[in-house]
Amino acid sequence: DNGVNSYTFKSWTIDANYEQKFGVFVPKVELGYVYTDGDDLAIRNIYGQTANLDKVKTYYISLGVLYDQKLFLGKIGAYIKYQKTTVDLNQSTITDADGNKVDKVEPSVWTVAIPYYLADQNAKVVLQWNHYDYDKKGFDPRNSKDDTNDDITLAFQVQF
């Protein structure tokens, strides 16, 4: 296998979505939970410390609204979403800044977005801001100085 392990992950998801039209406004609520068995995948942080991935649990909630009337070429909406993940580790040698053993990491993200639907989900433009809190505990993907990050994205989607 050339030193590369093969892993089979088992995962399941449950979610609920509710929307109701009130005149020209369509509010929406979405709740979800995702569970993944990490199959003891070996991981390493930027400091060379290691652990095995036990399981990953993620939940999210999204609240949004659609203005169901055309504005110029399409319809506009807005939503806010919160997502929290718990990553459980086995055989961890990872320590936090205080020297404590890390066997759990809990990153989260806040999202605020304004989608503009030209043809429902088939053609849209989305302006989105994300605020990430990595809860790094040695897993910081960028540097060792900060465990938060913000980004702004302008995305275009076309489906055929």
Side-chain angles (χ1 to χ4, degrees), residues 30-89:
E30 183 176 10
L31 305 167
Y33 178 81
V34 181
Y35 174 87
T36 301
D37 179 350
D39 199 26
D40 283 328
L41 174 67
I43 56 176
R44 177 184 312 268
N45 69 7
I46 63 174
Y47 307 108
Q49 299 168 328
T50 61
N52 292 339
L53 186 61
D54 180 20
K55 57 186 163 261
V56 180
K57 299 172 277 189
T58 300
Y59 71 86
Y60 59 89
I61 181 169
S62 179
L63 305 170
V65 66
L66 172 70
Y67 182 69
D68 199 19
Q69 293 289 320
K70 273 204 166 183
L71 294 175
F72 188 53
L73 296 175
K75 298 176 182 180
I76 194 163
Y79 67 86
I80 185 169
K81 179 179 181 180
Y82 177 73
Q83 178 175 307
K84 178 80 170 184
T85 300
T86 300
V87 180
D88 291 326
L89 304 171

Side-chain angles (χ1 to χ4, degrees), residues 19-28 64-69 71 76-78:
E19 57 184 51
Q20 177 69 48
K21 187 171 183 171
F22 296 101
V24 296
F25 293 100
V26 183
K28 177 180 179 177
V65 66
L66 172 70
Y67 182 69
D68 199 19
Q69 293 289 320
L71 294 175
I76 194 163

